[in-house]
Amino acid sequence: MADASMNFREDRKGRLKWNEQLDILRLAPKDKRRLVRMMASDVRKDARQNIRQQKTVSGAPMAPRKDARNKRKLLRRMGKPMVVFNKSNHEAVVSFKGRAGSIASKHQHGSSERMTATKAAKRAGTPDYNALANRDQAKSLIAEGYRLPVKGKRGRTKLKRVSQKWIRENMTIGQAGLILRLLRDDKGKQSWTITTPARPFLGADERDAQQMLDSLARTSLARLRAKGAR
């Protein structure tokens, strides 16, 4: 699956009552188009709510980040590029604009990617190692327990705590990166695996999928009937 898209067709009627199925079959093409779009729009609304509440479609909390120190919400800004469009009078899709589809898919289904130093450098570009250390490096150094060696009165070396501000004003990107690798006992490994756990926020789990589609079809059909009665 290239992205986290979800398709809806007017003929996915499941266990709808016979009269409800007949009502769908009798719909004009433009109303069938509207029906599947309504279903897809409701799923998009639920998915956006799942992102806000940081929950999966089953109601469970999303798998946390590997770095517990990172408190930022998962899938931030992913609700906006989530779009609904009709592929035909019979089918609508919930999908994502641009690169967001690839990111959404990794979280929706989970992924495992083999990364190499060469690939990482190509993605990030070559940094200016002589530029001052950045905020992320400063935070990481503090978290890893970095202390600045300083000479005391009797020539003895002491380890002194420093602030993020001090690191950003006194270390270069190259120096901060080298110290981080040493603190983490990372000798510049050339390949590693990046694993993203599944955080299904769009759609429904297999057990509830048909029930959800039935409910969506009934609700959307009721809306169409109400509009027609006006």
Side-chain angles (χ1 to χ4, degrees), residues 90-186:
H90 307 279
E91 186 174 7
V93 176
V94 182
S95 191
F96 293 82
K97 293 179 181 177
R99 246 186 106 244
S102 162
I103 297 170
S105 180
K106 286 181 180 179
H107 288 274
Q108 177 80 2
H109 309 292
S111 70
S112 182
E113 180 182 8
R114 195 68 180 166
M115 183 63 69
T116 65
T118 302
K119 189 188 292 186
K122 190 173 181 180
R123 285 188 184 179
T126 303
D128 179 0
Y129 292 106
N130 294 317
L132 290 174
N134 57 48
R135 187 184 300 274
D136 288 339
Q137 287 181 312
K139 288 175 66 175
S140 296
L141 282 168
I142 297 297
E144 293 294 339
Y146 172 74
R147 300 290 184 272
L148 176 67
V150 294
K151 285 188 177 181
K153 292 180 180 179
R154 298 183 181 180
R156 293 181 181 177
T157 301
K158 295 183 179 180
L159 297 178
K160 176 185 174 183
R161 290 175 180 269
V162 293
S163 65
Q164 291 183 31
K165 181 180 178 182
W166 186 94
I167 292 171
R168 293 172 64 194
E169 292 178 350
N170 293 274
M171 280 189 193
T172 65
I173 285 178
Q175 290 169 334
L178 175 60
I179 294 170
L180 268 174
R181 286 197 298 272
L182 292 172
L183 287 173
R184 293 169 173 169
D185 195 28
D186 179 355

Side-chain angles (χ1 to χ4, degrees), residues 163-229:
S163 65
Q164 291 183 31
K165 181 180 178 182
W166 186 94
I167 292 171
R168 293 172 64 194
E169 292 178 350
N170 293 274
M171 280 189 193
T172 65
I173 285 178
Q175 290 169 334
L178 175 60
I179 294 170
L180 268 174
R181 286 197 298 272
L182 292 172
L183 287 173
R184 293 169 173 169
D185 195 28
D186 179 355
K187 307 304 182 183
K189 57 186 178 182
Q190 295 301 301
S191 66
W192 59 95
T193 300
I194 298 175
T195 302
T196 302
R199 301 176 177 112
F201 62 95
L202 173 64
D205 56 23
E206 290 185 13
R207 182 187 61 188
D208 296 332
Q210 189 59 58
Q211 182 179 345
M212 179 196 75
L213 289 171
D214 289 350
S215 176
L216 284 174
R218 285 193 177 98
T219 302
S220 302
L221 191 56
R223 285 190 219 159
L224 286 174
R225 285 170 176 164
K227 286 185 179 181

Side-chain angles (χ1 to χ4, degrees), residues 34-52:
R34 191 180 301 168
L35 172 65
V36 292
R37 190 175 182 88
M38 283 179 174
M39 293 170 68
S41 295
D42 282 346
V43 167
R44 178 179 62 177
K45 180 180 176 181
D46 289 344
R48 285 175 170 170
Q49 183 172 310
N50 288 336
I51 292 173
R52 285 194 299 271

